[in-house]
Amino acid sequence: NVHVFYDDSFNTRFGAAATTRIQAIFSIVKTIYSDSSLTTVIEPNVIDITYRSGVTWTATGATLK
């Protein structure tokens, strides 16, 4: 189960379509991870999508450790 959080940057870019965009992303993720060539199948299940107003997350060296 996955609870997706998104920040101001994502909200600014996609606005009212943010939830739809996240669902589309996870549809692609499900397809990729259910490929028959994989020995382990991962089935992500989005249980909630939450917008965190007032924050912006950036993937940098420090936050990726």
Side-chain angles (χ1 to χ4, degrees):
N1 291 331
V2 180
H3 185 158
V4 178
F5 291 87
Y6 65 98
D7 65 358
D8 287 337
S9 296
F10 197 86
N11 189 59
T12 298
R13 181 160 183 182
F14 299 108
T19 298
T20 302
R21 180 62 78 161
I22 292 167
Q23 290 169 337
I25 291 167
F26 272 88
S27 178
I28 294 166
V29 169
K30 285 180 183 182
T31 300
I32 291 168
Y33 282 107
S34 65
D35 188 273
S36 62
S37 68
L38 299 174
T39 56
T40 301
V41 176
I42 299 172
E43 297 179 27
N45 177 37
V46 177
I47 58 171
D48 205 358
I49 298 172
T50 304
Y51 168 46
R52 298 297 256 185
S53 179
V55 297
T56 300
W57 298 306
T58 306
T60 63
T63 59
L64 295 173
K65 291 181 181 181

